[in-house]
Amino acid sequence: MEKYQINQFVEKTKQQDKGQGLFELETERILEINLEQQIWAKMGTMISYRGNIKFEREGILEHGFGKLFKKAFTGEGASLMKATGSGKLYVADQGKKISILHLNGESISVNGNDLLAFEPSIQWDIKMMRRIAGLLAGGLFNVRLEGKGMVAFTSHYEPLTLMVERGNPVYTDPNATVAWSGDLQPEFVTDVSLKSFFGRGSGESVQMKFEGQGFVVVQPFEEVYFGNKES
């Protein structure tokens, strides 16, 4: 059969340089980083590399006592690794779809579990979201990123961006919420009447409420994080 020759498979799936710069989507679920100096990526996401690249786990005081305390307090499981050198680095996270943003002075908040990689030029901080009556065991945390540089985050399947307008708030399932614009400050709200309809993961009556002007990104999947419990 001519259809399934090895050379056809190789030609169809082989890596290709697309000339897109530092971050390049090799496929929808594999990020190629054309490394020249340094990059931060989620620990455990490296699947391959070529070139002269050194990998280091995030040092315990790498980002100061403030972030160390927050990581201990939030029980953050998504540690970072630092890749330094030159070459091609390929990262992926459980087959999730990858989105790339180039921040030009803007800010965005990304669910801590969905952050994949970012440039060292980006300023970042861990933000703990308010817990309600223990419904979210361990709470939820997000990472606020701002400045100039590239950021990559992941979602289960295709993400959907919902516009938030003043006077017309958007409610989301916390486990399906991936990211939101930096000007928004979500709050947790409860509605027991929606218990059987809204979410299954971290407390079925809990929703995130976004008010103001901006956007929120959701995914068609409820990601239950380690430490969360059902109410």
Side-chain angles (χ1 to χ4, degrees):
M1 293 182 63
E2 297 292 331
K3 190 174 182 180
Y4 299 111
Q5 299 296 316
I6 289 179
N7 62 342
Q8 291 178 326
F9 171 80
V10 171
E11 187 63 30
K12 183 178 180 180
T13 61
K14 72 178 181 182
Q15 180 264 337
Q16 298 179 2
D17 285 321
K18 301 174 183 177
Q20 296 174 349
L22 177 64
F23 282 9
E24 185 173 298
L25 280 180
E26 193 58 41
T27 73
E28 290 185 340
R29 304 173 195 279
I30 298 176
L31 176 67
E32 177 185 280
I33 301 173
N34 294 297
L35 189 64
E36 294 181 352
Q37 292 181 329
Q38 182 180 309
I39 203 74
W40 285 102
K42 183 178 178 180
M43 193 75 186
T45 58
M46 186 264 286
I47 60 171
S48 180
Y49 75 94
R50 65 170 66 190
N52 184 21
I53 302 177
K54 180 182 178 182
F55 299 94
E56 297 176 87
R57 178 185 286 272
E58 177 186 13
I60 192 167
L61 295 177
E62 183 94 37
H63 298 105
F65 280 102
K67 288 191 176 73
L68 175 66
F69 172 77
K70 289 180 184 179
K71 291 184 72 168
F73 177 71
T74 58
E76 181 193 355
S79 298
L80 297 173
M81 66 176 180
K82 179 168 59 176
T84 307
S86 61
K88 290 185 180 294
L89 169 61
Y90 298 92
V91 294
D93 190 5
Q94 298 180 335
K96 295 163 70 176
K97 190 177 176 71
I98 299 170
S99 298
I100 299 173
L101 296 176
H102 181 225
L103 299 186
N104 190 22
E106 304 101 331
S107 61
I108 188 170
S109 292
V110 180
N111 186 301
N113 197 53
D114 299 321
L115 183 60
L116 181 62
F118 58 93
E119 285 191 73
S121 58
I122 296 290
Q123 292 83 50
W124 63 279
D125 196 12
I126 297 171
K127 301 290 185 180
M128 185 68 181
M129 288 184 279
R130 183 165 55 92
R131 288 176 287 182
I132 292 185
L135 286 174
L136 296 168
L140 281 175
F141 72 95
N142 63 85
V143 182
R144 179 182 170 90
L145 306 115
E146 58 185 327
K148 293 188 176 183
M150 306 290 282
V151 174
F153 63 90
T154 59
S155 61
H156 285 279
Y157 310 106
E158 286 70 27
L160 173 67
T161 299
L162 303 170
M163 304 309 296
V164 182
E165 301 170 348
R166 299 190 189 282
N168 189 17
V170 172
Y171 298 83
T172 66
D173 180 338
N175 288 336
T177 306
V178 175
W180 54 92
S181 51
D183 292 337
L184 297 180
Q185 294 186 350
E187 60 176 309
F188 283 122
V189 297
T190 57
D191 188 340
V192 177
S193 67
L194 292 176
K195 186 175 178 66
S196 299
F197 305 101
F198 208 118
R200 298 190 304 271
S202 57
E204 294 131 326
S205 60
V206 178
Q207 303 109 51
M208 292 175 72
K209 180 182 180 181
F210 293 87
E211 284 190 289
Q213 196 78 26
F215 63 86
V216 56
V217 182
V218 294
Q219 62 184 3
F221 185 94
E222 292 173 79
E223 194 164 8
V224 180
Y225 309 105
F226 178 79
N228 283 0
K229 64 180 180 180
E230 293 192 356
S231 62

